[in-house]
Amino acid sequence: METIMAFVVGALFAASIYMMLRRSIVKLVIGLILLSNAANLLIFTVSGLTRGLPPLIPEGSSLPAGGWADPLPQALVLTAIVIGFGVLAFAVVLIHRAYEVINEDDLDKMRSTDT
Amino acid sequence: MSPEVALPVIIPFIAGALSLIFYKSHAAQRWIGVVGTGALLIASIVLLYNTYTQGILVMEMGNWPAPFGIVLVSDLLGAIMTVLAAIMGFAVAIYSLPTISKDHEAFGYYPLTHLLLAGVCGAFLTGDVFNLYVWVEVLLVASFALLILGGERAQMEGAIKYVALNLLSSIMLLTAVGLTYGLTGTLNMADLAVKLPEVEDQGLVTVVAMLYLVSFGIKAGAFPLFFWLPASYHTPPVAVSALFAGLLTKVGVYALFRFFTLLFNHDVGYTHELLLWMSGFTMITGVLGAAYHYEIRRILSFHIVSQIGYMIMGLALFTPLAIVGGVFYIMHHIIVKANLFLVGGVVYFLRGSYELKEIGGLWRTKPWLGLLFLVPALSLAGLPPLSGFFGKYIIIRAGVEAESWGIVAVALVVGLLTLYSMIKIWAEAFWKAQPEEHEERAAQFERTLSDKSLALMILPIAALAAMTVFIGLGAQPIYELADAAAEQLLDSTHYIQAVLGETP
Amino acid sequence: MLIAVLSGFILAAFAPWLTRSLGDKAGWILALLPAGLFAYFLTWVPVVITDGAQVVHYPWIPGLDISLSILVDGLSLLFALLISGIGTFIIIYAGGYLHGHEDLPRFYAIMFSFMAAMLGVVLSNNIITLFVFWELTSITSYLLIGFHHEQKDARWFALQGLLVTVGGGLALLAGLIMLALAGGGSFELSEILANEDLREYGFYTGMVILILAGTFTKSAQVPFHFWLPNAMAAPTPVSAFLHSATMVKAGVYLMARLNPGIGGTELWLYALGIFGALTMFTGSFMALRSTGLKAVLAYTTIMALGTLTMLIGIGTEQAIIAAMTFLLAHALYKASLFMLAGALDHETGTKDITKLGGLRRLMPITFVTACIAALSLAGLPPLFGFIAKELMFEAALQAPTIGLFFTVLAVLSAIMIVAMAAVFALRPFIGDLKETPKKPHEAPLSMLIGPVVLASLSLIFGLVGFLPAAALVAPAVESVYGAPIDFDLYLWHGINLPLMLSVLAVALGLLLFWKWNAVLAVFSRMTFIDRFGPERGYEKLMDGLVWLAAWQTRLLQNGYMRNYLITIVLTTVALTGWTLFVHAGSPMPLGDISFSLHEIVVAGLVVMGAIVASVTSSRLGAVATLGMVGFGIALIYVFFSAPDLGTTQIMVETLTVILLVLVLFRLPSFQKLSSTASRMRDAVVAVSLGGLMTLLILAVNAVEVTEPISDQLVAWSYPEAHGRNIVNVILVDFRALDTLGEIFVVGLAAIGVYAMIRLRAEDKAK
Amino acid sequence: MNSMGSLILRTTARFLLPLLLLFSVFVLLRGHDEPGGGFIAGLVAAVGFALYLFAFDAARTKPLLVMEPQVMVGAGLLAATVSGILPVFAGLPFFTALWWPVEMPGFGEVKFSTPLIFDIGVYMVVLGSVMKIILALAEAEE
């Protein structure tokens, strides 16, 4: 399944970059959301996929029964998801606000700070 | 256990949380701002002193031994960077008192700056790659929010690029961390330093190193990844610009130094050669961008880029002297660059514009401001006997010793062009007479600026200028510090032993 | 000794205050410092004559091999005496010249810094310290040249001088570092020059070129000479100091200083000899074309600098003797002439020679002094300049190679200099009185004392040449030559070839003077010299720089977000992909491809969702498919043993979609903005990164990790950390710091969002 | 909000909010042993308030939060940070878990601990932040 997931993650990365390259700021943000998801899934995948062995310790035992899925990447991904949420909430409101100020959805018309 | 290692993170966290709780009282926030950053400064100096006298300090968070929990590690580089961050924080906190508007205070300026500092210090002190990612995000989101405070059009335009490109960088960092864990099963930097060389396919390690290189390269504003910086740095209030200029890119530079000395030193011929090319182009493109512009903050922003090149050059040459030069350069640069932005702010408050073509006459009316500008400006250009000269001298000497003529030539020519743009600001803003068509605005701005405000702005500027002069004239102790830091960087056994408590 | 060198800086700090409180007498009192220094340096003369060179060591930055050690030998002492001696008169002179000027206080501050920096250059034994002072002279002279800074020209010329000299200075820095390496690592001149095999250094040629780049720019050698005449934008006291004893002489000093160590090679001879001779000729020729009092003098300075460089390059005994004698002679008459030029300008209001005439009655002292100094400039007996010029001819004639070339150029220059000396000394004073902007009268004492004393010295030294030879010139010659030479300086040394050449030069020079008006008319029509001179090169270079800067900045920082993104993504793909291709050895294994139906369905949905989201033209469609991707990923987490992740992902996804719906639908609907071609390009870029990530995952997955740190965490989770949900234990205990950072991120985002929205609300309220 | 169907929504919201809050506390407390934890719990509570907000309006929702969301974020951050500092006073490194088992009548033994304080801090920050964003958006609407 890792191999298949590798392609899924690749597709997510490709789709997100493609979205970010569009001129609309909305698509830019959707691309960012996809990108964040893609990276999370990548971490989850590269540390190995395990079916049906959540890292929970049953009552009366001190180790999960019958092996476990690596809990550390899960914790990392969880942190990353939450951070991603915070950042993207900001980004979403930012483009909203930017649209109100600039009255443009087109990134090509937002060049005044560079030139 | 060394609790002082965690203080530079904890103090701004508490100050930030308190500022949020007292968000209705601006006076309380101002006090927390000054006291909090002052406490941070003291804590960081203590940390540096202890690190210098006792060697690398380690704090195992939660009492979980490394490499299993998160460790905070204060080696000399980390401690030096923390002190610099604290100096910046304190200077900007004072400078903010007269320059930050009520609106900005109402919408979280103070908590944001504290948390930005927390993120920066955390990034400098952490000994864990994923934790580094978290700190980078903390400082990034804080910087996002600071960047848009005010909500002007330019800020929005700049912020979109800043946010998008920096998020891309963070995602790459996250990806690289994930791959690193997939390769080695560990996140602790010291442990990684042990386990990365054991990875069978060393080529794959280099591949992951490239991802880190790009990610930190974006953060550092290196060529060809720097676009977000000149697009946004000139848009927020000048105190924020100064803070950003001093600190944010340096997190990227710091991370490059950390990763490409401690973790990725297995294929120096390849990775550091790449860094060398990167540094050369970074210097050139940055300095040319500055030569093109006529707006003080834009000029200064592009110079951040070009100066980053010198620091990376120190790392890329990878000789002991070059690393010393790199560390020295970072110390000098943070102080000088932030100070230039602060002086630029004073110019603005006296003249009402950052456009060089619209201002002038300051040497006649405010000669002391001229001196306070010349010190950091000439230092930035690397003129003796100021701090920048010695930084550049060490790096150039390292380049000559390594017989890397190309990069030495680039570094020298870029130095001259840096002088050119500093002199451009000097000649236009200070020497030239105030253009008549903008005289009215200038007079009005100068009238509205109270003496007390001006004094509060000059105080940090003068202090930073004094530091610049001191680092220049009294370069020996600073050199010794940089030398000791470089020695730790080049011999990773110090670091590994301090963290893991064993000889690798 | 160190205090002597640095005293200028100390006084500079107080100079503005002193100037204000001392009022009219400021110049006279401030001049006590250089006068004292002069006396102090004089006391060293017997020491050096009897005991040879002295090194005094003061530490500074030992870690970087930088010290404040001071080298006192004949050469440095000669320079130090010139700097402090002439400096004394300059300070007095400036008090008169800039009398009542509002910027006089800061002028003195910069002037003393400049003087101290110059003393530092000639007295430093450490080459880096020498360089520090070297650059300080550049920057302080910049501030001096731009004294009239509200004039555009002054700013422009000041910048020109700065860029040329600092540019050369940077090359010099590299050259000096190489010099230290060549000398085995010591940065002390006394140790470096004691080294015999500097010339065998592997990069000798490069080192010499870099060092000469520094000295040639500083000492205004062709083709860098153009900045020097332009530097006359400075007030006259500055020009007088700059041209006679300081700044431009720094380059000469350094070449002379290094001559015993790295000189004597063919490269050295040809580089210095040819460039020096050409500079000498160019200077004289340009002087002939000039009509400004200061311009004439500036070009004769270039002539003198060229002569000195040529002589050092020739490097024979006679040449070095000639060089040191000429150096002293030039300093005396040049300072004097410049101050006189300033006096004329100051009292008449014009610097144009053709507009001056008949002043001999109104300014008699000026007239007589000018005549004496000009005679020395022209190299006529019984002035000191004559001795120097005779020696120079002799050295040129006896040069080891291309002696004829040197001699011809030297004689040609001498002819023109004779003419210009006559022009300078006679034209403003003889003939009928001409109308001038100011009513002329004799200059005040403060402005005359310097020229009178210095011109008298020219005369005295000429008459009793053995005095300076014994005391000043001989030790300097020894330093430069590297070995003692016995010689005497006499006015009369028989009828020989140099004397014949002198006679010829004087005769032809006077002829030229007689016909100067006609000559000027011809030469001033030769505008191609101005059009194609090196100064145009400098201007073109500056224009080119501005153009290049504009071009590259517009190219790179073009404001188009997608260009930035494409650059970054392609850089990533190139760096990572190339490294993967070249360095990662093992062939990519395909890994585990087992799957069950529900997994593959969800995976397919995620991919489909991503693709649809990126091509759909409907906003709702994009948001819905985005949600689909998110929930699909949540399911994948659940399938692969991560219930916490699944729950969190669902929650977050729900909130994200709500936010998007709340916010995005106030924005305009999607438009097709890009062309098909750019879509294709974007698709290629996107797929290349996606493919790269796939390859990376496959490669990393093939690596077996034996002992991940998480094993230990699992083992500790219940017994040590009292928790059964290991993921949560990691979050709140093992890696609580991450979580702390994480909630700060969330809090920060909330502040940011709040600020953005509320600020908008306030905008509306206004 | 439109009035059509809002009656049902209001009734549901009134009914659901306490339930969701209770559930969120439950998720928070069991998080150390079963899937859950401060973050998820905070989101659950936020969803409850969000529902209430949609049903009524910002003005009526705000008082239910007990404190200003901004203050709640600050307090949560402070609680989490302080929970990390507490062990220092016991001479242990930052974030070392301290456990105080407390016998609670009816619940049995409850493990009161610094990780729990930490998780409560997380809960408050998440709830406060989300509410702050949503309230700000809603107020801007009105």
Side-chain angles (χ1 to χ4, degrees):
Chain A
M1 191 61 195
E2 276 96 343
T3 307
I4 297 164
M5 285 307 294
F7 284 93
V8 172
V9 173
L12 280 177
F13 267 104
S16 66
I17 294 294
Y18 182 80
M19 285 296 270
M20 288 175 74
L21 288 172
R22 310 274 46 86
R23 279 164 64 176
S24 153
I25 44 175
V26 179
K27 291 191 176 176
L28 175 72
V29 164
I30 293 180
L32 282 173
I33 296 174
L34 276 178
L35 190 65
S36 173
N37 275 327
N40 293 340
L41 206 51
L42 180 138
I43 300 178
F44 194 64
T45 307
V46 285
S47 47
L49 299 173
T50 315
R51 291 186 182 88
L53 292 169
L56 296 168
I57 301 169
E59 290 280 346
S61 161
S62 66
L63 278 181
W68 56 83
D70 192 341
L72 187 56
Q74 294 189 15
L76 303 187
V77 172
L78 208 151
T79 308
I81 291 176
V82 179
I83 288 178
F85 167 69
V87 173
L88 291 168
F90 181 88
V92 168
V93 180
L94 170 67
I95 58 158
H96 177 48
R97 175 81 176 126
Y99 176 73
E100 284 187 336
V101 175
I102 307 167
N103 226 349
E104 270 297 344
D105 171 47
D106 185 355
L107 276 167
D108 280 14
K109 304 219 169 94
M110 301 184 189
R111 298 170 53 213
S112 70
T113 56
D114 290 59
T115 46
Chain B
M1 184 190 81
S2 321
E4 65 266 40
V5 182
L7 282 182
V9 184
I10 300 286
I11 291 173
F13 262 166
I14 294 178
L18 285 177
S19 309
L20 271 179
I21 292 174
F22 294 109
Y23 81 103
K24 281 198 169 140
S25 161
H26 298 177
Q29 289 195 40
R30 282 189 214 132
W31 275 109
I32 298 171
V34 174
V35 173
T37 50
L40 174 63
L41 182 58
I42 295 168
S44 60
I45 289 173
V46 169
L47 177 63
L48 177 60
Y49 178 78
N50 288 355
T51 311
Y52 192 69
T53 49
Q54 300 165 20
I56 298 175
L57 301 176
V58 179
M59 168 97 197
E60 288 168 336
M61 302 304 273
N63 213 9
W64 301 111
F68 305 106
I70 295 175
V71 288
L72 293 183
V73 185
S74 164
D75 71 340
L76 277 172
L77 178 64
I80 291 169
M81 299 301 290
T82 310
V83 170
L84 290 167
I87 293 174
M88 282 308 106
F90 190 55
V92 169
I94 292 175
Y95 192 87
S96 301
L97 296 177
T99 59
I100 291 299
S101 73
K102 287 221 159 30
D103 276 354
H104 292 157
E105 287 183 336
F107 292 111
Y109 173 78
Y110 288 105
L112 289 172
T113 28
H114 287 301
L115 298 185
L116 179 78
L117 285 172
V120 170
C121 293
F124 291 153
L125 291 174
T126 187
D128 184 286
V129 284
F130 187 79
N131 196 234
L132 175 68
Y133 160 77
V134 173
W135 293 123
V136 167
E137 292 291 303
V138 171
L139 73 92
L140 209 54
V141 180
S143 69
F144 290 168
L146 281 170
L147 195 62
I148 52 90
L149 271 188
E152 286 159 24
R153 179 186 171 131
Q155 287 181 301
M156 291 296 155
E157 289 187 19
I160 286 180
K161 284 163 193 148
Y162 181 92
V163 168
L165 296 179
N166 272 293
L167 278 186
L168 183 62
S169 151
S170 300
I171 298 287
M172 282 185 192
L173 175 57
L174 185 60
T175 307
V177 170
L179 294 172
T180 311
Y181 184 75
L183 271 182
T184 59
T186 186
L187 296 167
N188 180 290
M189 290 185 194
D191 201 27
L192 278 172
V194 177
K195 289 203 177 136
L196 276 174
E198 292 168 5
V199 173
E200 204 170 308
D201 186 353
Q202 283 295 301
L204 215 46
V205 176
T206 316
V207 173
V208 175
M210 288 300 117
L211 272 183
Y212 282 112
L213 177 66
V214 173
S215 172
F216 295 138
I218 296 176
K219 298 255 182 268
F223 177 88
L225 313 162
F226 58 75
F227 308 107
W228 58 272
L229 194 157
S232 62
Y233 263 28
H234 56 96
T235 59
V238 71
V240 175
S241 289
L243 202 57
F244 283 16
L247 293 181
L248 294 196
T249 49
K250 259 50 82 185
V251 173
V253 175
Y254 162 82
L256 284 174
F257 267 74
R258 175 67 72 218
F259 277 65
F260 285 86
T261 54
L262 182 65
L263 305 185
F264 302 117
N265 51 17
H266 60 284
D267 192 3
V268 174
Y270 182 72
T271 49
H272 290 63
E273 180 74 17
L274 269 174
L275 280 169
L276 198 63
W277 281 92
M278 198 178 197
S279 78
F281 279 108
T282 306
M283 287 184 225
I284 296 173
T285 48
V287 87
L288 286 179
Y292 167 66
H293 278 293
Y294 263 88
E295 204 257 43
I296 295 179
R297 290 180 303 174
R298 287 178 193 243
I299 295 174
L300 295 178
S301 298
F302 266 108
H303 273 298
I304 299 176
V305 174
S306 94
Q307 301 286 308
I308 294 294
Y310 284 97
M311 301 169 208
I312 300 180
M313 177 180 159
L315 172 65
L317 289 171
F318 210 61
T319 62
L321 189 66
I323 302 280
V324 174
V327 175
F328 194 103
Y329 209 96
I330 294 174
M331 288 193 256
H332 131 78
H333 174 83
I334 290 180
I335 289 171
V336 160
K337 187 27 90 35
N339 203 11
L340 281 171
F341 270 95
L342 296 182
V343 175
V346 178
V347 170
Y348 176 79
F349 283 101
L350 285 171
R351 286 291 176 268
S353 173
Y354 289 105
E355 287 293 339
L356 287 178
K357 293 189 169 140
E358 298 175 5
I359 58 178
L362 284 166
W363 180 233
R364 183 76 56 222
T365 56
K366 299 270 186 290
W368 42 266
L369 185 64
L371 281 181
L372 288 177
F373 170 78
L374 277 184
V375 168
L378 297 180
S379 182
L380 189 80
L383 283 183
L386 299 161
S387 56
F389 167 72
F390 294 99
K392 191 178 294 177
Y393 161 66
I394 305 173
I395 289 179
I396 301 266
R397 181 170 157 189
V400 170
E401 282 177 6
E403 292 171 13
S404 302
W405 307 116
I407 198 76
V408 168
V410 169
L412 289 172
V413 171
V414 169
L416 183 64
L417 295 179
T418 309
L419 179 65
Y420 169 77
S421 24
M422 287 303 112
I423 289 297
K424 182 162 77 183
I425 298 179
W426 167 257
E428 296 285 325
F430 288 87
W431 266 5
K432 185 184 70 191
Q434 169 71 32
E436 277 166 27
E437 58 267 38
H438 301 285
E439 200 152 341
E440 217 165 285
R441 180 179 60 193
Q444 195 202 335
F445 265 78
E446 195 160 347
R447 262 199 312 279
T448 34
L449 186 67
S450 74
D451 283 351
K452 192 179 153 229
S453 301
L454 192 59
L456 278 175
M457 286 159 88
I458 291 301
L459 194 67
I461 292 175
L464 293 177
M467 280 182 223
T468 308
V469 173
F470 173 76
I471 298 179
L473 295 180
Q476 178 65 17
I478 307 295
Y479 163 78
E480 280 170 14
L481 194 59
D483 189 44
E487 207 246 310
Q488 286 180 354
L489 286 178
L490 280 171
D491 187 356
S492 47
T493 50
H494 295 297
Y495 191 95
I496 295 168
Q497 208 163 1
V499 175
L500 299 180
E502 60 186 75
T503 337
Chain C
M1 193 70 194
L2 186 63
I3 293 172
V5 176
L6 300 180
S7 57
F9 292 117
I10 299 164
L11 186 59
F14 299 102
W17 173 76
L18 281 172
T19 314
R20 270 190 216 99
S21 44
L22 292 172
D24 281 355
K25 295 274 172 289
W28 293 93
I29 295 170
L30 289 174
L32 288 174
L33 175 77
L37 287 176
F38 181 77
Y40 174 72
F41 291 130
L42 270 185
T43 62
W44 279 83
V45 173
V47 180
V48 168
I49 288 174
T50 48
D51 301 341
Q54 305 289 313
V55 176
V56 195
H57 196 86
Y58 302 93
W60 186 9
I61 311 169
L64 295 171
D65 303 313
I66 302 174
S67 70
L68 282 170
S69 57
I70 287 167
L71 171 65
V72 189
D73 67 351
L75 182 65
S76 54
L77 211 50
L78 175 61
F79 270 92
L81 285 167
L82 286 176
I83 294 162
S84 55
I86 294 178
T88 307
F89 296 118
I90 297 285
I91 297 295
I92 299 171
Y93 181 85
Y97 187 85
L98 290 171
H99 182 76
H101 196 290
E102 58 170 326
D103 290 339
L104 185 62
R106 64 178 77 150
F107 172 83
Y108 271 131
I110 304 170
M111 197 70 179
F112 278 114
S113 310
F114 178 59
M115 184 188 296
M118 199 58 214
L119 281 175
V121 169
V122 299
L123 287 166
S124 288
N125 189 39
N126 183 286
I127 49 177
I128 300 304
T129 311
L130 185 150
F131 181 78
V132 167
F133 287 119
W134 179 283
E135 294 289 74
L136 272 176
T137 63
S138 294
I139 196 74
T140 43
S141 69
Y142 165 76
L143 294 174
L144 290 171
I145 297 170
F147 181 74
H148 302 296
H149 52 80
E150 266 134 12
Q151 298 166 8
K152 197 162 190 247
D153 272 2
R155 294 200 299 271
W156 170 252
F157 290 138
L159 175 68
Q160 192 181 58
L162 182 71
L163 287 184
V164 172
T165 52
V166 171
L170 289 171
L172 176 67
L173 176 63
L176 289 177
I177 294 173
M178 291 167 80
L179 179 68
L181 296 183
S186 168
F187 280 75
E188 302 293 315
L189 272 173
S190 50
E191 290 165 31
I192 294 171
L193 295 176
N195 215 309
E196 287 298 313
D197 48 7
L198 288 175
R199 297 176 192 86
E200 267 83 69
Y201 177 52
F203 302 99
Y204 173 80
T205 310
M207 173 181 80
V208 169
I209 290 173
L210 286 171
I211 292 177
L212 292 186
T215 57
F216 279 15
T217 47
K218 195 83 165 181
S219 281
Q221 300 294 304
V222 166
F224 306 112
H225 62 279
F226 56 89
W227 72 266
L228 184 58
N230 292 339
M232 287 177 317
T236 302
V238 176
S239 309
F241 203 30
L242 212 84
H243 286 247
S244 59
T246 58
M247 184 73 179
V248 293
K249 291 288 175 62
V252 172
Y253 165 78
L254 191 60
M255 288 188 276
R257 172 58 77 206
L258 297 180
N259 183 54
I262 62 172
T265 58
E266 267 189 20
L267 174 69
W268 187 260
L269 168 65
Y270 283 114
L272 268 68
I274 292 176
F275 278 98
L278 288 177
T279 306
M280 173 177 71
F281 177 77
T282 310
S284 339
F285 177 72
M286 294 301 284
L288 195 63
R289 289 182 70 223
S290 308
T291 57
L293 285 166
K294 285 173 77 180
V296 169
L297 295 178
Y299 282 116
T300 61
T301 304
I302 293 178
M303 179 280 292
L305 294 169
T307 310
L308 288 167
T309 305
M310 176 186 83
L311 289 172
I312 295 171
I314 293 172
T316 56
E317 286 184 21
Q318 296 92 330
I320 301 298
I321 297 167
M324 289 303 106
T325 316
F326 193 87
L327 179 82
L328 179 58
H330 173 254
L332 294 176
Y333 69 68
K334 186 52 61 69
S336 159
L337 287 172
F338 252 112
M339 288 192 260
L340 291 169
L344 281 170
D345 171 24
H346 196 256
E347 301 309 325
T348 63
T350 178
K351 332 184 204 281
D352 191 337
I353 298 179
T354 57
K355 298 211 171 83
L356 292 168
L359 291 169
R360 62 188 177 284
R361 280 181 216 292
L362 295 169
M363 304 175 78
I365 307 176
T366 310
F367 175 47
V368 173
T369 320
C371 285
I372 299 173
L375 280 176
S376 192
L377 165 68
L380 287 177
L383 278 299
F384 196 47
F386 171 72
I387 304 181
K389 195 189 60 181
E390 294 297 291
L391 285 168
M392 189 258 284
F393 280 156
E394 198 177 327
L397 284 166
Q398 296 179 8
T401 50
I402 55 172
L404 186 64
F405 170 76
F406 294 137
T407 314
V408 170
L409 285 183
V411 173
L412 286 176
S413 304
I415 295 168
M416 294 185 274
I417 291 301
V418 168
M420 287 323 290
V423 167
F424 185 91
L426 301 176
R427 288 288 289 242
F429 300 100
I430 57 173
D432 300 327
L433 187 63
K434 289 187 182 168
E435 197 65 31
T436 50
K438 278 193 193 165
K439 195 154 169 42
H441 54 80
E442 194 61 271
L445 175 63
S446 57
M447 291 175 65
L448 284 177
I449 180 167
V452 169
V453 171
L454 294 172
S456 319
L457 280 178
S458 290
L459 187 59
I460 297 168
F461 282 1
L463 294 171
V464 285
F466 51 88
L467 270 181
L472 291 175
V473 179
V477 167
E478 185 184 331
S479 312
V480 180
Y481 191 69
I485 306 171
D486 268 336
F487 68 95
D488 287 310
L489 299 177
Y490 293 118
L491 264 184
W492 180 253
H493 39 91
I495 298 174
N496 53 11
L497 193 51
L499 187 68
M500 306 299 286
L501 291 175
S502 284
V503 171
L504 179 73
V506 171
L508 290 175
L510 287 176
L511 185 70
L512 212 52
F513 166 65
W514 184 44
K515 292 281 179 205
W516 187 55
N517 284 349
V519 171
L520 202 57
V522 174
F523 283 166
S524 60
R525 280 202 300 277
M526 294 165 65
T527 49
F528 69 90
I529 297 173
D530 302 315
R531 270 206 314 270
F532 298 103
E535 189 173 4
R536 292 295 89 73
Y538 168 83
E539 281 162 16
K540 283 271 175 295
L541 203 66
M542 297 301 287
D543 290 349
L545 171 72
V546 171
W547 178 85
L548 178 70
W551 174 78
Q552 89 107 59
T553 310
R554 286 203 207 100
L555 179 76
L556 288 175
Q557 196 72 29
N558 49 30
Y560 291 108
M561 179 71 165
R562 60 174 175 285
N563 290 357
Y564 301 166
L565 276 169
I566 289 176
T567 313
I568 293 175
V569 169
L570 287 183
T571 307
T572 315
V573 174
L575 285 179
T576 317
W578 172 254
T579 313
L580 193 65
F581 179 68
V582 177
H583 289 269
S586 53
M588 214 63 73
L590 206 48
D592 176 16
I593 51 166
S594 67
F595 60 86
S596 53
L597 185 63
H598 61 280
E599 290 166 3
I600 197 77
V601 167
V602 172
L605 281 179
V606 168
V607 173
M608 278 225 342
I611 293 171
V612 173
S614 51
V615 295
T616 180
S617 58
S618 133
R619 283 176 302 174
L620 193 63
V623 174
T625 44
L626 188 68
M628 186 167 96
V629 173
F631 288 119
I633 291 174
L635 280 179
I636 292 174
Y637 290 146
V638 174
F639 293 159
F640 295 100
S641 322
D644 284 288
L645 276 189
T647 333
T648 313
Q649 172 81 13
I650 287 172
M651 290 285 186
V652 162
E653 208 53 43
T654 315
L655 274 171
T656 311
V657 169
I658 290 176
L659 258 182
L660 280 174
V661 172
L662 266 178
V663 163
L664 292 194
F665 286 83
R666 317 202 154 265
L667 272 74
S669 46
F670 292 163
Q671 292 164 311
K672 199 174 173 191
L673 290 167
S674 345
S675 65
T676 313
S678 59
R679 280 164 183 273
M680 290 304 292
R681 177 199 61 196
D682 296 347
V684 170
V685 172
V687 168
S688 67
L689 186 80
L692 178 75
M693 288 302 168
T694 304
L695 285 178
L696 279 177
I697 298 172
L698 291 178
V700 172
N701 260 337
V703 175
E704 277 298 319
V705 176
T706 43
E707 277 177 56
I709 52 172
S710 52
D711 288 357
Q712 187 64 56
L713 300 182
V714 172
W716 277 338
S717 179
Y718 189 70
E720 300 282 331
H722 316 293
R724 297 183 185 282
N725 179 0
I726 305 171
V727 173
N728 190 266
V729 172
I730 294 176
L731 285 176
V732 299
D733 198 340
F734 294 127
R735 300 186 68 86
L737 196 60
D738 280 348
T739 312
L740 186 67
E742 167 204 314
I743 59 174
F744 271 96
V745 169
V746 174
L748 280 167
I751 303 173
V753 168
Y754 174 72
M756 274 192 287
I757 296 171
R758 290 302 302 183
L759 273 175
R760 177 187 62 179
E762 313 233 319
D763 282 356
K764 279 183 184 161
K766 281 172 199 164
Chain D
M1 285 293 143
N2 59 346
S3 58
M4 261 309 285
S6 66
L7 188 66
I8 304 168
L9 189 62
R10 286 181 183 191
T11 321
T12 328
R14 246 187 222 139
F15 177 67
L16 266 180
L17 178 60
L19 254 170
L20 280 171
L21 284 181
L22 204 64
F23 179 63
S24 77
V25 172
F26 169 71
V27 171
L28 169 70
L29 291 180
R30 73 163 208 165
H32 216 51
D33 292 333
E34 305 284 333
F39 186 77
I40 298 170
L43 284 179
V44 169
V47 168
F49 281 110
L51 201 66
Y52 198 82
L53 177 81
F54 285 130
F56 298 94
D57 54 21
R60 287 168 86 170
T61 316
K62 233 176 170 175
L64 295 178
L65 278 169
V66 183
M67 50 177 120
E68 289 270 343
Q70 189 142 3
V71 177
M72 190 188 285
V73 173
L77 292 175
L78 199 62
T81 314
V82 167
S83 84
I85 300 174
L86 278 180
V88 177
F89 298 107
L92 292 163
F94 287 96
F95 285 105
T96 308
L98 301 176
W99 294 86
W100 304 281
V102 178
E103 203 62 41
M104 292 270 276
F107 274 95
E109 196 193 59
V110 170
K111 290 182 288 182
F112 196 65
S113 63
T114 50
L116 185 66
I117 304 178
F118 185 79
D119 231 6
I120 292 171
V122 174
Y123 175 89
M124 289 170 76
V125 173
V126 171
L127 177 60
S129 299
V130 174
M131 285 323 290
K132 195 174 164 79
I133 296 175
I134 293 180
L135 278 173
L137 277 170
E139 279 173 354
E141 296 288 299
E142 289 158 12

